[in-house]
Amino acid sequence: MSDTRPPLPPFTRDTAIQKVRAAEDGWNTCNPDRVALAYTVDSRWRNRAEFLRGRPEIVAFLTRKWNKELEYRLIKELWAWEANRIAVRFAYEWHDDSGSWFRSYGNENWEFDDNGLMRLRHASINDLPINAADRKFHWDRTGPRPADHPGLTDLGL
């Protein structure tokens, strides 16, 4: 894959929305190796209480994550942007190996290099146990969230 990941900064509202949707689509593949390519080789993360540096740590983290968070479905929404930075809010639904469902809510702050690769990611996340009947994300996991599926605001989240 290319070391350039359009759209490139500085972001406009439209290109920031494109970047957010591309990230959502990538994460919904649950493919750690593919997702890690959107980050610089020395990318730095804070995810909850974990601090990661570089693609190998990102791949290991995402592998652990998606081995635990089954039937993962994520929606991201643009919150703010400026130059090479984007802030998003997100929610994702998943269940553990005992079948207990959760909706995880959070905010992320992203910073990109000139090639459109993310070099900094700071994520704050909270998990809420939910009943399976209260799930809101129901698209087929073999593809991205359909364009007509409601986003976070439309779902009241």
Side-chain angles (χ1 to χ4, degrees):
M1 288 197 103
S2 172
D3 288 328
T4 301
R5 195 55 78 99
L8 307 177
F11 299 112
T12 64
R13 181 178 191 283
D14 289 341
T15 60
I17 289 170
Q18 289 173 11
K19 199 70 156 176
V20 171
R21 186 57 191 248
E24 174 187 313
D25 291 348
W27 278 62
N28 276 322
T29 68
C30 297
N31 180 328
D33 294 308
R34 176 180 168 192
V35 171
L37 294 175
Y39 301 91
T40 61
V41 294
D42 61 349
S43 184
R44 291 181 292 137
W45 283 24
R46 182 191 51 77
N47 194 90
R48 301 180 193 242
E50 289 191 63
F51 295 83
L52 310 173
R53 185 172 192 106
R55 286 183 182 160
E57 289 184 19
I58 291 169
V59 169
F61 168 83
L62 292 173
T63 300
R64 286 191 319 273
K65 172 185 181 61
W66 290 320
N67 283 334
K68 174 188 173 193
E69 297 175 353
L70 307 173
E71 294 295 319
Y72 178 93
R73 288 175 180 84
L74 165 73
I75 298 176
K76 292 182 181 283
E77 190 171 278
L78 178 67
W79 186 255
W81 79 96
E82 182 180 8
N84 69 335
R85 293 180 175 170
I86 295 176
V88 299
R89 63 188 201 94
F90 63 88
Y92 60 91
E93 293 179 347
W94 58 281
H95 69 81
D96 63 17
D97 59 3
S98 69
S100 297
W101 281 94
F102 299 86
R103 186 175 303 119
S104 300
Y105 297 94
N107 298 291
E108 292 176 311
N109 297 311
W110 302 340
E111 184 177 279
F112 295 87
D113 70 6
D114 292 339
N115 294 321
L117 297 172
M118 195 182 304
R119 63 179 167 213
L120 293 172
R121 175 183 174 268
H122 300 281
S124 299
I125 307 166
N126 299 297
D127 301 319
L128 174 70
I130 61 173
N131 294 317
D134 295 328
R135 293 177 50 222
K136 296 179 182 280
F137 305 171
H138 295 284
W139 66 88
D140 179 357
R141 285 223 350 94
T142 61
R145 175 173 57 103
D148 64 348
H149 189 286
L152 296 179
T153 298
D154 296 328
L155 291 167
L157 300 175

